[in-house]
């Protein structure tokens, strides 16, 4: 799963033409690493094993955890943007066939 994060970040770095791309890539690296660690720690039984195993509820729970830990709204928004961009990349590269960020059954994130 980490390989897909690394490939996404490399792709992002090569596409970003604006000044400050290093900051965006560094922030997304941190944000996606934090999300991956959250999901991994939460599922101690070894799941998920692929990004396809991530559900909308996993993302909602993560956002709620960030809010509970009193992250600033701007930080949460950036983390959500990183996750959404990452799943769009996974869809574009056919690594996943469903985008869990495209819907939110109970809350918007």
């Amino acid at each position: 799963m980490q390989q897909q994060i690394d490939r996404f970040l490399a792709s992002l770095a090569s596409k970003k033409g604006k000044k400050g791309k290093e900051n965006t890539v560094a922030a997304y690296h941190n944000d996606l690493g934090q999300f991956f660690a959250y999901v991994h720690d939460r599922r101690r039984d070894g799941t998920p094993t692929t990004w396809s195993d991530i559900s909308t509820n996993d993302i909602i729970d993560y956002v709620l955890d960030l809010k509970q830990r009193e992250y600033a709204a701007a930080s949460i928004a950036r983390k959500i943007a990183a996750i959404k961009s990452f799943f769009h990349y996974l869809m574009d590269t056919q690594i996943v066939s469903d985008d869990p960020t495209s819907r939110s059954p109970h809350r918007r994130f």
Side-chain angles (χ1 to χ4, degrees), residues 77-96:
R78 190 196 65 236
K79 291 174 187 304
I80 292 169
I83 293 168
K84 285 183 175 186
S85 293
F86 179 58
F87 272 98
H88 293 162
Y89 164 82
L90 294 177
M91 289 287 293
D92 290 345
T93 56
Q94 299 179 346
I95 293 170
V96 299

Side-chain angles (χ1 to χ4, degrees), residues 9-54:
L9 294 172
S11 172
L12 184 64
S14 70
K15 290 180 183 176
K16 279 290 229 186
K18 297 179 180 179
K19 192 173 185 175
K21 70 179 176 183
E22 296 86 13
N23 291 340
T24 300
V25 172
Y28 276 29
H29 179 271
N30 180 56
D31 296 338
L32 294 172
Q34 186 179 7
F35 176 64
F36 175 68
Y38 172 83
V39 172
H40 183 267
D41 289 347
R42 193 166 164 244
R43 296 185 180 188
R44 300 249 179 218
D45 63 352
T47 59
T49 57
T50 69
W51 288 109
S52 296
D53 298 327
I54 303 296

